[in-house]
Amino acid sequence: MLIDRFQRPIEYIRLSVTDRCDLRCVYCMPKSFKDFAEPDEWLTFDEIERVIGAFAALGVKRVRLTGGEPLVRRDLPELAGRLGRLPGVEDLSLSTNAMQLAKHAEAIKSAGVHRINVSLDSLNADTFRDTTRGGRLDKVIDGLMAAKLAGLNPIKINMVAMRGVNEHEIPDMVDFCIEHGFTLRLIETMPVGDSGRDAGDHYLDLQRVRADLGKRFDLITSVTGGVMPGGGPARYVQIAGTDTRIGFITPISQHFCETCNRVRLSVEGTLYLCLGQNDRFELRPLLRAGIDDDGLKAAILEAIDLKPERHEFREEPDKIVRFMSLTGG
Ligand code: SAM
Ligand code: SF4
C-alpha cells in the first residue's frame, strides 16, 4: 500500500485524459483559453495503462477519468475498458459535463465505468449557458437520462455553489435529485487559476447553506458525521424519507486534508500531489526513456514522498496558477 509522509494511505488516482473541453465554465477556464497540451505531449493509452497498472500494483484501487472534458478524448471507452481490466483496479468512475454523455453512456457502462459525477450548476437554461459559456442544458439532461437508462449508478450531481449566481437554485436542485434518484454534491469555489480566483467573488460558505437547507428539508447526519469511510471529501446528510443524499465539499470553510487519499495525473504525464500546491513529479520523460516496471514503481514511491500536508487556499490564494481543467478537479 502507498502511504505518504503523513501516514495517509493513497488509494485513489484522478486521471485527466485531456486538458481540452467543450465548455468554458467561469470558475475553471478563461473564455479564450488556448494554451493546451499538444498531441505528442499526451500520454498514449499504452502509457496511461502502464502508469495506472503500476499504481494498482502499489495498492491504488480506485481510478477516476476526468479532464478537461474526458468525453472529448477520442476512444475513451476503449481506454476505460483497458483500465477497468487492470488487476487491482476495483472502482472506475468518470467526471463529465455530460454535454456528450447521451451518445456515450452505454459504451462507457459496457467498458466498466459503473458510476459517474456530472457537473450541473443550474437548472435554468440561461444561467447554465452563462456559467458554462455556451453549454446547453437540454443536452446535459439528455445525457443524465441516458446514463440512468444505461444503469450507471450512483449518479452524482456536482454543483459549484455561487453566491448571487445559483445560490437560490439549491433547493430546486435538491428536488431534482430526489425526483431522479441522484446524489447532490455542493462544492465551494477554489482559487485555482485566475478563473477560480475570480469566481471567489461569488464564494459561498457551505456551512451556511447547510443550515438553510436544514430549515427546508429534514436532514439526517449519520453517526460518522456524514464522512464516508474511505470515501471522498464530501460530508453527507440524507433527506429523511428518501434515499437522496447531499454532500458538502468544503475545501475552504472546513478543509479535509488530513484524510486526503488521492493524487492526480495530467494528460502530459505530470503527477500532481495536491490540488492546492505545486508539488509535482514528471513521469512522461521516464516512460519515454524506457523505464522498466520496477523503476516506474520506484518513481511513484518517490513522488508520493512529495505529497504536502495540506493546501493553503486561504493563506495563499494566489499560489495556484494552473487552471482546474489541467488537473481534473
Ligand atoms: N469536465 C468535467 C466536469 O466538469 O465534470 C471534469 C473536469 S472538471 C475540472 C471537475 C470538477 O471541477 C467539476 O465538478 C467542476 O465543477 C470543478 N471545478 C472546476 N473549477 C473549480 C473551482 N475553481 N472551484 C471548485 N470546483 C471547480
Ligand atoms: Fe470544462 Fe469541466 Fe472545466 Fe467546465 S469544469 S470548463 S466542463 S473542465
Coordinates of all heavy atoms in Angstrom, one line a residue, residues 162-217:
M162 N -22.6 29.2 -5.9 CA -22.1 30.5 -6.1 C -23.1 31.6 -5.6 O -24.2 31.6 -6.1 CB -21.7 30.8 -7.5 CG -20.5 30.0 -8.0 SD -20.2 30.0 -9.8 CE -21.4 28.8 -10.4
R163 N -22.6 32.4 -4.7 CA -23.5 33.5 -4.2 C -23.9 34.4 -5.3 O -23.0 34.8 -6.1 CB -22.7 34.3 -3.1 CG -23.5 35.3 -2.3 CD -22.7 35.7 -1.1 NE -21.3 35.9 -1.4 CZ -20.8 37.1 -1.9 NH1 -21.6 38.1 -2.2 NH2 -19.5 37.2 -2.2
G164 N -25.1 34.7 -5.4 CA -25.6 35.7 -6.5 C -25.7 35.0 -7.8 O -26.0 35.7 -8.8
V165 N -25.4 33.8 -8.0 CA -25.5 33.1 -9.3 C -26.5 32.0 -9.3 O -27.5 32.0 -10.0 CB -24.1 32.6 -9.8 CG1 -24.2 31.8 -11.1 CG2 -23.0 33.7 -9.8
N166 N -26.2 31.0 -8.4 CA -27.1 29.9 -8.4 C -27.5 29.5 -6.9 O -28.2 28.4 -6.7 CB -26.5 28.6 -9.1 CG -25.2 28.2 -8.4 OD1 -24.7 28.8 -7.4 ND2 -24.6 27.1 -8.9
E167 N -27.2 30.3 -6.0 CA -27.5 30.0 -4.6 C -29.0 29.7 -4.4 O -29.4 28.8 -3.7 CB -27.1 31.2 -3.7 CG -27.4 31.0 -2.2 CD -26.9 32.2 -1.4 OE1 -26.5 33.2 -2.0 OE2 -27.0 32.1 -0.2
H168 N -29.8 30.6 -5.0 CA -31.3 30.5 -4.9 C -31.8 29.2 -5.5 O -33.0 28.8 -5.3 CB -31.9 31.7 -5.5 CG -31.7 31.9 -6.9 ND1 -30.4 32.3 -7.4 CD2 -32.4 31.6 -8.0 CE1 -30.5 32.3 -8.7 NE2 -31.7 31.9 -9.1
E169 N -31.0 28.5 -6.3 CA -31.5 27.3 -7.0 C -31.2 26.0 -6.3 O -31.6 25.0 -6.8 CB -30.8 27.3 -8.4 CG -31.3 28.2 -9.4 CD -30.9 27.8 -10.8 OE1 -31.2 26.6 -11.2 OE2 -30.2 28.6 -11.5
I170 N -30.5 26.2 -5.2 CA -30.1 24.9 -4.5 C -31.3 24.0 -4.1 O -31.3 22.8 -4.4 CB -29.1 25.2 -3.3 CG1 -27.8 25.8 -3.9 CG2 -28.8 24.0 -2.5 CD1 -26.8 26.4 -2.8
P171 N -32.3 24.6 -3.5 CA -33.5 23.8 -3.1 C -34.1 23.1 -4.4 O -34.5 21.9 -4.3 CB -34.5 24.7 -2.5 CG -33.6 25.9 -2.0 CD -32.5 26.0 -3.0
D172 N -34.1 23.8 -5.5 CA -34.7 23.2 -6.7 C -33.8 22.0 -7.2 O -34.3 21.0 -7.7 CB -34.7 24.2 -7.9 CG -35.8 25.2 -7.7 OD1 -36.7 25.0 -6.8 OD2 -35.9 26.2 -8.4
M173 N -32.5 22.2 -7.0 CA -31.6 21.1 -7.4 C -31.8 19.9 -6.5 O -31.7 18.8 -6.9 CB -30.1 21.6 -7.4 CG -29.2 20.7 -8.1 SD -29.4 20.6 -9.9 CE -28.4 22.0 -10.5
V174 N -32.0 20.2 -5.2 CA -32.3 19.1 -4.3 C -33.6 18.3 -4.7 O -33.6 17.1 -4.8 CB -32.5 19.6 -2.8 CG1 -33.0 18.5 -1.9 CG2 -31.2 20.3 -2.3
D175 N -34.6 19.1 -5.1 CA -35.9 18.4 -5.5 C -35.6 17.6 -6.8 O -36.1 16.5 -7.0 CB -36.9 19.5 -5.8 CG -37.5 20.1 -4.5 OD1 -37.5 19.4 -3.5 OD2 -38.0 21.2 -4.6
F176 N -34.8 18.2 -7.7 CA -34.5 17.5 -9.0 C -33.8 16.1 -8.7 O -34.1 15.1 -9.3 CB -33.6 18.4 -9.8 CG -33.0 17.8 -11.1 CD1 -33.8 17.6 -12.2 CD2 -31.7 17.4 -11.2 CE1 -33.3 17.1 -13.4 CE2 -31.2 16.9 -12.4 CZ -32.0 16.7 -13.5
C177 N -32.9 16.2 -7.7 CA -32.1 15.0 -7.3 C -33.0 13.9 -6.7 O -32.9 12.7 -6.9 CB -30.9 15.3 -6.5 SG -29.6 16.2 -7.4
I178 N -33.9 14.4 -5.8 CA -34.9 13.5 -5.2 C -35.7 12.8 -6.3 O -35.9 11.6 -6.3 CB -35.8 14.2 -4.2 CG1 -35.0 14.8 -3.0 CG2 -36.9 13.3 -3.7 CD1 -35.8 15.7 -2.0
E179 N -36.2 13.6 -7.2 CA -37.1 13.1 -8.3 C -36.4 12.0 -9.1 O -37.0 11.0 -9.5 CB -37.5 14.3 -9.2 CG -38.4 13.8 -10.3 CD -38.7 15.0 -11.3 OE1 -38.4 16.2 -10.9 OE2 -39.2 14.7 -12.4
H180 N -35.1 12.2 -9.4 CA -34.4 11.3 -10.3 C -33.5 10.3 -9.6 O -32.8 9.5 -10.3 CB -33.6 12.1 -11.3 CG -34.4 12.9 -12.3 ND1 -35.1 12.2 -13.3 CD2 -34.8 14.2 -12.3 CE1 -35.8 13.1 -13.9 NE2 -35.6 14.3 -13.4
G181 N -33.4 10.3 -8.3 CA -32.5 9.4 -7.6 C -31.1 9.7 -7.7 O -30.2 8.8 -7.6
F182 N -30.7 11.0 -7.9 CA -29.3 11.4 -8.0 C -28.8 11.8 -6.6 O -29.6 12.3 -5.8 CB -29.1 12.5 -8.9 CG -29.6 12.3 -10.4 CD1 -30.1 13.3 -11.2 CD2 -29.5 11.0 -10.9 CE1 -30.5 13.0 -12.5 CE2 -29.9 10.7 -12.2 CZ -30.4 11.8 -13.0
T183 N -27.5 11.8 -6.4 CA -26.9 12.4 -5.2 C -26.5 13.8 -5.5 O -25.9 14.0 -6.7 CB -25.7 11.5 -4.8 OG1 -26.2 10.2 -4.4 CG2 -24.9 12.1 -3.6
L184 N -26.7 14.7 -4.6 CA -26.2 16.1 -4.9 C -25.0 16.4 -4.1 O -24.9 16.1 -2.9 CB -27.3 17.1 -4.5 CG -26.9 18.5 -4.7 CD1 -26.6 18.9 -6.1 CD2 -28.1 19.4 -4.2
R185 N -23.9 16.9 -4.8 CA -22.7 17.4 -4.0 C -22.6 18.9 -4.3 O -22.4 19.3 -5.5 CB -21.5 16.6 -4.4 CG -21.6 15.1 -3.9 CD -21.0 14.2 -4.8 NE -19.8 14.6 -5.5 CZ -18.6 14.3 -5.2 NH1 -18.3 13.5 -4.2 NH2 -17.5 14.7 -5.9
L186 N -22.6 19.6 -3.2 CA -22.3 21.1 -3.4 C -20.9 21.3 -3.1 O -20.3 20.7 -2.2 CB -23.2 21.8 -2.4 CG -24.7 21.6 -2.6 CD1 -25.5 22.1 -1.4 CD2 -25.2 22.3 -3.8
I187 N -20.3 22.2 -3.9 CA -18.8 22.4 -3.8 C -18.5 23.9 -3.7 O -19.2 24.8 -4.3 CB -18.2 22.0 -5.2 CG1 -18.5 20.5 -5.5 CG2 -16.6 22.2 -5.1 CD1 -18.0 20.0 -6.8
E188 N -17.6 24.3 -2.8 CA -17.2 25.7 -2.7 C -16.2 26.0 -3.8 O -15.3 25.1 -4.1 CB -16.5 25.9 -1.3 CG -17.5 25.8 -0.1 CD -16.8 25.9 1.2 OE1 -15.5 25.8 1.3 OE2 -17.5 26.1 2.2
T189 N -16.2 27.2 -4.3 CA -15.3 27.6 -5.3 C -13.8 27.6 -4.7 O -13.7 28.0 -3.5 CB -15.5 29.0 -5.8 OG1 -15.6 29.9 -4.8 CG2 -16.8 29.1 -6.6
M190 N -12.9 27.2 -5.5 CA -11.5 27.2 -5.0 C -10.7 28.1 -5.9 O -10.9 28.2 -7.1 CB -10.9 25.7 -5.2 CG -11.5 24.8 -4.2 SD -10.9 23.1 -4.6 CE -12.4 22.4 -5.2
P191 N -9.7 28.8 -5.3 CA -8.8 29.7 -6.0 C -7.8 29.0 -6.8 O -6.6 29.1 -6.6 CB -8.2 30.6 -4.9 CG -8.2 29.7 -3.7 CD -9.3 28.7 -3.8
V192 N -8.2 28.2 -7.8 CA -7.3 27.5 -8.7 C -7.3 28.2 -10.0 O -8.3 28.3 -10.7 CB -7.7 26.0 -8.8 CG1 -6.8 25.3 -9.8 CG2 -7.6 25.3 -7.5
G193 N -6.2 28.8 -10.4 CA -6.1 29.6 -11.7 C -6.8 30.9 -11.5 O -7.6 31.1 -10.5
D194 N -6.6 31.8 -12.4 CA -7.3 33.1 -12.4 C -8.8 33.0 -12.4 O -9.5 33.7 -11.7 CB -6.9 34.0 -13.5 CG -5.5 34.5 -13.4 OD1 -4.9 34.4 -12.2 OD2 -4.9 34.9 -14.4
S195 N -9.3 32.0 -13.1 CA -10.8 31.8 -13.2 C -11.3 31.4 -11.9 O -12.4 31.9 -11.4 CB -11.1 30.7 -14.2 OG -10.6 31.1 -15.5
G196 N -10.6 30.5 -11.2 CA -11.1 30.1 -9.9 C -11.0 31.2 -8.9 O -11.9 31.4 -8.0
R197 N -10.0 32.1 -9.0 CA -9.9 33.2 -8.1 C -11.0 34.2 -8.3 O -11.6 34.8 -7.4 CB -8.5 33.9 -8.2 CG -7.5 33.3 -7.3 CD -6.1 34.0 -7.4 NE -5.5 33.6 -8.6 CZ -4.8 32.5 -8.7 NH1 -4.7 31.6 -7.8 NH2 -4.2 32.2 -9.9
D198 N -11.3 34.5 -9.6 CA -12.3 35.4 -10.0 C -13.7 35.0 -9.4 O -14.5 35.7 -8.9 CB -12.5 35.6 -11.5 CG -11.3 36.4 -12.1 OD1 -10.5 36.9 -11.2 OD2 -11.1 36.4 -13.3
A199 N -13.9 33.6 -9.5 CA -15.2 33.1 -9.0 C -15.3 33.2 -7.5 O -16.4 33.2 -6.9 CB -15.3 31.6 -9.4
G200 N -14.1 33.5 -6.9 CA -14.1 33.7 -5.4 C -15.0 34.9 -5.0 O -15.4 34.9 -3.9
D201 N -15.3 35.8 -5.9 CA -16.2 36.9 -5.6 C -17.6 36.4 -5.3 O -18.4 37.1 -4.7 CB -16.3 37.8 -6.8 CG -15.0 38.6 -7.1 OD1 -14.1 38.5 -6.3 OD2 -14.9 39.1 -8.2
H202 N -17.8 35.2 -5.8 CA -19.2 34.6 -5.5 C -19.1 33.4 -4.5 O -20.0 32.6 -4.4 CB -19.7 34.0 -6.8 CG -19.9 35.0 -7.9 ND1 -21.0 35.9 -7.9 CD2 -19.2 35.4 -9.0 CE1 -20.9 36.7 -8.9 NE2 -19.8 36.4 -9.6
Y203 N -18.0 33.4 -3.8 CA -17.7 32.3 -2.8 C -18.9 32.2 -1.8 O -19.4 33.3 -1.3 CB -16.4 32.5 -2.0 CG -16.3 31.6 -0.9 CD1 -16.0 30.3 -1.1 CD2 -16.6 32.0 0.5 CE1 -15.9 29.4 0.0 CE2 -16.5 31.2 1.5 CZ -16.1 29.9 1.3 OH -16.0 29.0 2.3
L204 N -19.4 31.0 -1.6 CA -20.5 30.8 -0.7 C -20.0 29.8 0.3 O -19.6 28.7 0.0 CB -21.6 30.2 -1.5 CG -23.0 30.1 -0.9 CD1 -23.5 31.4 -0.4 CD2 -24.0 29.5 -2.0
D205 N -20.1 30.1 1.6 CA -19.8 29.2 2.7 C -20.8 28.2 2.8 O -22.0 28.5 3.1 CB -19.6 30.1 4.0 CG -19.2 29.2 5.2 OD1 -19.4 28.0 5.2 OD2 -18.7 29.8 6.1
L206 N -20.5 26.9 2.6 CA -21.5 25.9 2.6 C -22.0 25.5 4.0 O -23.0 24.8 4.1 CB -20.9 24.6 1.9 CG -20.8 24.8 0.4 CD1 -20.3 23.5 -0.3 CD2 -22.1 25.1 -0.3
Q207 N -21.3 25.9 5.0 CA -21.8 25.7 6.4 C -23.2 26.4 6.5 O -24.1 25.9 7.1 CB -20.9 26.2 7.4 CG -19.4 25.8 7.2 CD -19.1 24.4 7.4 OE1 -19.8 23.7 8.1 NE2 -18.0 23.9 6.8
R208 N -23.2 27.6 5.9 CA -24.5 28.4 6.0 C -25.6 27.8 5.1 O -26.7 27.7 5.5 CB -24.2 29.8 5.5 CG -25.0 30.9 6.2 CD -24.9 32.2 5.5 NE -25.6 32.2 4.2 CZ -25.2 33.0 3.2 NH1 -24.1 33.7 3.2 NH2 -26.0 33.0 2.1
V209 N -25.1 27.3 3.9 CA -26.1 26.7 3.0 C -26.7 25.4 3.7 O -28.0 25.2 3.7 CB -25.4 26.2 1.7 CG1 -26.3 25.4 0.8 CG2 -24.9 27.5 0.9
R210 N -25.9 24.7 4.4 CA -26.4 23.5 5.0 C -27.4 23.9 6.1 O -28.4 23.2 6.3 CB -25.2 22.8 5.7 CG -25.6 21.5 6.3 CD -24.4 20.8 7.0 NE -24.8 19.9 7.9 CZ -24.2 18.7 8.2 NH1 -23.1 18.4 7.6 NH2 -24.7 17.9 9.1
A211 N -27.1 24.9 6.9 CA -28.1 25.3 7.9 C -29.4 25.8 7.3 O -30.5 25.4 7.7 CB -27.4 26.5 8.7
D212 N -29.3 26.5 6.1 CA -30.5 26.9 5.5 C -31.3 25.7 4.9 O -32.6 25.7 5.1 CB -30.2 27.9 4.3 CG -29.7 29.2 4.8 OD1 -29.9 29.5 6.0 OD2 -29.2 30.0 4.0
L213 N -30.6 24.8 4.4 CA -31.3 23.6 3.8 C -32.0 22.8 4.9 O -33.1 22.3 4.8 CB -30.4 22.7 3.1 CG -29.9 23.1 1.7 CD1 -28.9 22.2 1.1 CD2 -31.2 23.1 0.7
G214 N -31.4 22.9 6.1 CA -32.0 22.2 7.3 C -33.3 22.8 7.7 O -34.1 22.1 8.4
K215 N -33.6 24.0 7.3 CA -34.9 24.6 7.7 C -36.0 24.1 6.7 O -37.1 24.2 7.0 CB -34.8 26.2 7.6 CG -33.9 26.7 8.7 CD -33.8 28.3 8.5 CE -32.6 28.8 9.2 NZ -32.0 30.0 8.6
R216 N -35.5 23.7 5.5 CA -36.5 23.4 4.5 C -36.7 21.9 4.3 O -37.8 21.4 4.0 CB -35.9 23.9 3.2 CG -36.9 23.9 2.1 CD -36.4 24.9 1.0 NE -37.3 24.8 -0.1 CZ -37.5 25.7 -0.9 NH1 -37.0 26.9 -0.7 NH2 -38.3 25.6 -2.0
F217 N -35.6 21.1 4.6 CA -35.6 19.6 4.5 C -35.2 19.0 5.8 O -34.4 19.6 6.5 CB -34.6 19.1 3.4 CG -34.9 19.7 2.0 CD1 -34.3 20.8 1.5 CD2 -35.8 19.0 1.2 CE1 -34.5 21.3 0.3 CE2 -36.0 19.5 -0.1 CZ -35.4 20.6 -0.6

